Amino acid sequence: MTVLPSLVTVADLAARLGRTLTPTQELQAQALLDDASSVVRAYVRLDITRATTTDTFTMRRADPLLHRCGGVVTLPQRPVVDIASVSVNGTAMTDWWQDDNEILVRAWAWDQPPAAHRPPQVTVTYTHGWDPVPGDIQAIVMQAANRVLVNPSGIRSETVGGESVTYLIPAVGEYLGALLSNTEKKVLDRYRRTAASVRLRGC
């Protein structure tokens, strides 16, 4: 399984905080940025960072009202930057075109039963993601990591009637830590993938 890099570097976080981190703080910051990056990726259902991937998908029949082609595959990672190769059932194909994050195979003879129960398998090598990572995504990752870095226990203190009172949750609700607030989710919704392709294997 490929380990994806953090969406923000420790140097970026230190620059945003305007201070120099100690070696111990750098290790903690890296772990928190890794956690926050994983949380953001899980929410938007995308790798986000630029990469080239080879995956195999199950072709689906095209909607004749929308596409005049033999079959369609939807690539799960966005944005699609480049498609290097497409093969169907192990045979390289050139008779295809791209429509956003979909690959449309111009002509394909679908098998009749019982072979029809084994739909064509499409292997695609494509480049996807952003370079650089969008600034609003980076801002949310840094914000989520910084919540834990500056206040790891989620402690909030205030003085009431001359006495100091300490809470383990903020006034607005439960302690989020590296998780996302509703406001952060709304910002990320513009990137979020709402539908998934069937991915069989990665190379």
Side-chain angles (χ1 to χ4, degrees):
M1 180 178 180
T2 302
V3 178
L4 297 173
S6 295
L7 296 171
V8 175
T9 66
V10 173
D12 290 334
L13 179 61
R16 179 63 60 88
L17 296 176
R19 61 190 178 93
T20 301
L21 303 179
T22 66
T24 299
Q25 289 173 330
E26 287 183 348
L27 291 175
Q28 182 187 20
Q30 184 63 69
L32 292 172
L33 290 172
D34 289 342
D35 290 345
S37 296
S38 296
V39 169
V40 168
R41 285 187 169 110
Y43 182 75
V44 300
R45 301 171 186 163
L46 295 172
D47 291 348
I48 299 175
T49 45
R50 181 70 54 84
T52 298
T53 303
T54 298
D55 276 334
T56 298
F57 309 92
T58 296
M59 185 190 293
R60 69 181 189 276
R61 293 182 185 273
D63 185 337
L65 297 179
L66 297 177
H67 306 297
R68 294 182 178 180
C69 62
V72 181
V73 164
T74 301
L75 301 175
Q77 295 299 325
R78 297 184 284 107
V80 176
V81 178
D82 179 66
I83 298 175
S85 65
V86 177
S87 63
V88 181
N89 289 347
T91 300
M93 300 288 294
T94 58
D95 196 14
W96 58 269
W97 74 96
Q98 177 187 352
D99 182 8
D100 193 18
N101 65 321
E102 289 188 329
I103 293 177
L104 295 91
V105 179
R106 189 175 302 279
W108 186 261
W110 289 74
D111 292 329
Q112 299 298 315
H117 298 297
R118 299 187 297 275
Q121 305 305 297
V122 184
T123 300
V124 182
T125 297
Y126 68 113
T127 301
H128 51 82
W130 287 271
D131 184 18
V133 174
D136 50 356
I137 293 179
Q138 289 190 318
I140 288 173
V141 171
M142 284 190 278
Q143 184 170 284
N146 190 47
R147 277 197 290 266
V148 184
L149 187 64
V150 301
N151 192 6
S153 299
I155 294 175
R156 176 175 61 86
S157 298
E158 63 182 22
T159 300
V160 179
E163 295 184 1
S164 179
V165 182
T166 301
Y167 305 89
L168 290 178
I169 59 174
V172 294
E174 65 178 331
Y175 176 57
L176 290 172
L179 299 179
L180 301 172
S181 69
N182 289 333
T183 300
E184 290 165 342
K185 289 178 181 178
K186 288 180 181 179
V187 174
L188 293 172
D189 280 344
R190 65 188 293 257
Y191 300 102
R192 196 179 192 203
R193 176 165 57 91
T194 57
S197 297
V198 178
R199 183 171 69 181
L200 300 182
R201 63 180 182 274
C203 301

